[in-house]
């Protein structure tokens, strides 16, 4: 599933050892959650999540309940993006902008542009070790990553 070619919002939560959670949500209910260990190195994808989206007029609203076990230990850096429009009207927006360089759109996995989350420990305290979800993903790293519909 490739959501970034459609209207989507994406958020990245970076923890220790370059381990991070990437979440993608669309206005039509599609979603994709990935665990990454190292820049652009997905080790688990298509994690299930409780997500609903509604569209009213030209605005959409989504609510996701992301399990604590999906977050890597010691999350303290973050970035978020929105992609919308098509053709020449396509727009890429970032909470903390990433230079595009010679490319037509930013590379969202430029970890050096993530910024500190002031109160993240207040939102999700006590994530100091790998959850079972992370441990299993790391043990199976290098295997084939696919998404299947239930």
């Amino acid at each position: 599933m490739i959501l970034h070619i459609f209207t989507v919002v994406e958020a990245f939560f970076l923890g220790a050892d370059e381990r991070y959670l990437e979440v993608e949500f669309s206005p039509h209910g599609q979603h994709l959650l990935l665990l990454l260990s190292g820049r652009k190195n997905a080790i688990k994808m298509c994690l299930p999540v409780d997500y609903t989206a509604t569209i009213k007029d030209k605005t959409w609203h989504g609510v996701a309940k992301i399990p604590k076990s999906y977050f890597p230990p010691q999350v303290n850096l973050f970035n978020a993006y929105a992609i919308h429009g098509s053709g020449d009207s396509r727009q890429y927006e970032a909470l903390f902008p990433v230079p595009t360089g010679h490319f037509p759109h930013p590379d969202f996995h430029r970890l050096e542009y993530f910024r500190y989350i002031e109160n993240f420990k207040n939102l999700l305290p006590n994530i100091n070790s790998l959850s079972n979800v992370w441990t299993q993903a790391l043990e199976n790293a290098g295997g084939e990553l696919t998404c299947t519909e239930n």
Side-chain angles (χ1 to χ4, degrees):
M1 184 181 328
I2 302 174
L3 288 179
H4 66 268
I5 62 173
F6 303 104
T7 296
V8 65
V9 294
E10 301 186 20
F12 295 74
F13 300 87
L14 178 61
D17 301 318
E18 287 194 350
R19 293 184 177 131
Y20 58 107
L21 168 67
E22 175 182 347
V23 299
E24 302 180 16
F25 299 104
S26 82
H28 298 285
Q30 296 91 345
H31 57 275
L32 180 63
L33 282 73
L34 303 97
L35 303 182
L36 297 100
S37 182
R39 186 175 180 271
K40 291 188 176 183
N41 183 37
I43 59 170
K44 179 84 175 169
M45 58 190 291
C46 302
L47 294 159
V49 67
D50 180 6
Y51 172 63
T52 57
T54 56
I55 301 172
K56 184 175 182 181
D57 300 322
K58 293 185 177 189
T59 302
W60 68 281
H61 177 83
V63 175
K65 296 177 184 172
I66 302 170
K68 179 179 174 180
S69 61
Y70 292 2
F71 291 88
Q74 303 169 17
V75 170
N76 64 3
L77 297 175
F78 173 80
N79 210 348
Y81 307 91
I83 306 169
H84 54 90
S86 61
D88 291 340
S89 299
R90 188 106 172 120
Q91 293 183 27
Y92 298 86
E93 300 177 86
L95 179 60
F96 304 114
V98 176
T100 58
H102 300 291
F103 302 100
H105 55 80
D107 176 355
F108 297 159
H109 295 266
R110 302 265 312 264
L111 306 180
E112 66 271 25
Y113 290 96
F114 289 23
R115 295 292 176 256
Y116 182 71
I117 305 173
E118 184 69 34
N119 295 314
F120 194 74
K121 289 182 182 177
N122 295 337
L123 298 172
L124 282 175
N126 303 321
I127 301 179
N128 294 316
S129 61
L130 292 169
S131 69
N132 287 340
V133 173
W134 271 94
T135 300
Q136 290 173 5
L138 287 164
E139 287 172 357
N140 296 323
E144 185 176 334
L145 297 176
T146 60
C147 291
T148 57
E149 297 295 324
N150 294 333

